[in-house]
Amino acid sequence: MPICRTRLEAAEPLESLRLDLRTCWLLGRDTAGAAFAALIGDDVRRLAAEDRLPKLAHGPLHRRARHALEDSGTVPWADKADVLRAAVNVAELHPAVYRGLRAGRYAAYGDIQPDEALTLLEHLRLPAADTEGLTRLREALSDVGGQELLPGFTAGRRPQGEIGAGPVGLTELARDVDG
């Protein structure tokens, strides 16, 4: 994980690395919490405890936090909620928090607590360029009530079975889609 952390701190991280993180490490129930903690969660928790969250505003640590938060949609809410709450205190991370919340709501395996996410969303100050879908997200978080997004998928819950239990292979995905 140290190499991933360093690569995410680069001005232009490898998109293949971010894709790998999203599809293998941050998706699986057995890996997502630990991977998110190793990527940024533990650092944010430590900085919050030391009252040093402004260190997340700029530089390599900011870039790593931004990428990890943007890609955190599938991380279980219990593993990311405190990190998102802390990140709301760093204005420079607001767009990343927004993208993570949006992914948590709309990604196939996204995990979100609508009431808590709505509270976080209300504290974000977003540049106009980063508000695409903001109204729709607010409405969706206000009105999820167990609504099915796609057959078998309920807001904030992963479907039962093999998918989501670890890195997903094309065979398992095809089997799930085909029934």
Side-chain angles (χ1 to χ4, degrees), residues 25-135:
W25 295 99
L26 298 177
L27 180 63
R29 288 183 201 167
D30 297 335
T31 59
F36 184 73
L39 284 174
I40 198 62
D42 291 342
D43 293 319
V44 171
R45 292 177 184 110
R46 179 180 45 79
L47 291 171
E50 297 170 356
D51 199 27
R52 297 186 319 136
L53 286 174
K55 289 189 78 69
L56 293 167
H58 302 286
L61 187 57
H62 167 78
R63 289 189 293 270
R64 179 162 40 98
R66 186 184 75 211
H67 298 305
L69 291 169
E70 287 174 350
D71 296 340
S72 69
T74 57
V75 174
W77 185 259
D79 294 323
K80 66 184 173 187
D82 62 328
V83 175
L84 291 170
R85 282 191 294 273
V88 165
N89 294 302
V90 181
E92 293 83 358
L93 289 176
H94 286 188
V97 171
Y98 169 64
R99 289 184 193 105
L101 292 174
R102 193 174 62 196
R105 173 62 176 98
Y106 294 114
Y109 298 110
D111 197 2
I112 197 163
Q113 282 294 341
D115 293 338
E116 291 180 51
L118 188 58
T119 300
L120 291 175
L121 193 61
E122 297 304 324
H123 287 87
L124 300 180
R125 292 185 316 273
L126 297 168
D130 288 319
T131 59
E132 180 182 341
L134 180 61
T135 302

Side-chain angles (χ1 to χ4, degrees), residues 13-38:
L14 294 172
E15 281 305 311
S16 60
L17 170 63
R18 289 187 66 191
L19 179 62
D20 186 54
L21 288 170
R22 282 190 305 268
T23 57
C24 292
W25 295 99
L26 298 177
L27 180 63
R29 288 183 201 167
D30 297 335
T31 59
F36 184 73

